[in-house]
Amino acid sequence: DRYIHNIPCHPLWDDIESESLLVKILYADYREGFAIIEFFGEWNDLFENDFKLLSENLLSFMIEAGIKRFIFICENVFHIYLESDDYYQALQEELEEGWICVMRMRDEVREEMEAYHILDYFYYSPIIDELNWRKLKPFQLYQIVNERMSKLLN
């Protein structure tokens, strides 16, 4: 049984060795090179180094296997505690031509990421944020995000 701050978690949430953050790989397409990952809990880099744990215990393996584009669904990230951008910068370099798009963040989480300049390592778009992602098939979501990302990057 898993709990995040006394909230019971479904067993399908994956452990990244963090005390405060769980993930669920909703979809990974190794041929197209993208993954959709949902988050649950607190993103705590201040005490837990959650992004380091996420990078070392999940993202690096996916990148080695050919995934270079990620969609992070963050609507269940309740708080974020940040400190520095070292791990974010290192992962961005590892991604090379890839990207990470974040969507459905709570306002206070997005504001905190902006304040610490962590959002600089991700792509955020209010248009993507408004998508009803649960009604889309994974490849449909990816196509919409990828099309928007192509416009943002060019």
Side-chain angles (χ1 to χ4, degrees):
D1 295 324
R2 289 186 226 177
Y3 290 84
I4 297 288
H5 299 294
N6 297 324
I7 300 170
C9 302
H10 192 278
L12 291 179
W13 287 95
D14 295 312
D15 185 3
I16 58 167
E17 298 183 15
S18 168
E19 294 290 323
S20 59
L21 187 66
L22 296 172
V23 300
K24 191 185 306 178
I25 302 170
L26 299 179
Y27 190 82
D29 187 321
Y30 291 91
R31 191 172 333 131
E32 291 290 326
F34 77 92
I36 301 169
I37 302 172
E38 188 176 7
F39 293 81
F40 178 79
E42 287 184 342
W43 187 310
N44 190 339
D45 285 345
L46 189 58
F47 299 110
E48 301 289 334
N49 282 324
D50 282 341
F51 195 76
K52 176 186 177 215
L53 294 172
L54 176 68
S55 296
E56 291 176 353
N57 297 328
L58 178 65
L59 299 180
S60 290
F61 295 106
M62 295 182 91
I63 291 168
E64 282 179 29
I67 305 266
K68 299 285 186 183
R69 295 175 301 272
F70 294 90
I71 300 170
F72 286 1
I73 299 172
C74 299
E75 64 191 0
N76 291 312
V77 174
F78 307 119
H79 302 286
I80 190 164
Y81 302 101
L82 301 169
E83 188 174 35
S84 70
D85 66 351
D86 298 348
Y87 298 111
Y88 297 89
Q89 188 173 4
L91 184 69
Q92 191 63 47
E93 291 168 7
E94 194 175 345
L95 280 172
E96 297 168 1
E97 299 297 315
W99 45 258
I100 300 173
C101 178
V102 291
M103 62 182 294
R104 308 294 292 180
M105 288 187 292
R106 296 168 186 259
D107 290 339
E108 60 271 17
V109 170
R110 189 183 69 252
E111 290 165 5
E112 189 79 5
M113 289 180 91
E114 287 172 344
Y116 280 85
H117 302 284
I118 299 301
L119 202 54
D120 297 346
Y121 298 98
F122 301 99
Y123 293 96
Y124 169 80
S125 164
I127 294 168
I128 292 172
D129 209 43
E130 292 177 14
L131 290 174
N132 189 352
W133 68 272
R134 293 183 191 276
K135 294 199 178 216
L136 298 170
K137 293 185 178 184
F139 196 75
Q140 290 174 312
L141 175 60
Y142 169 70
Q143 285 178 312
I144 294 168
V145 171
N146 192 45
E147 182 179 308
R148 183 75 182 149
M149 292 300 302
S150 296
K151 290 177 184 176
L152 286 171
L153 295 172
N154 291 332

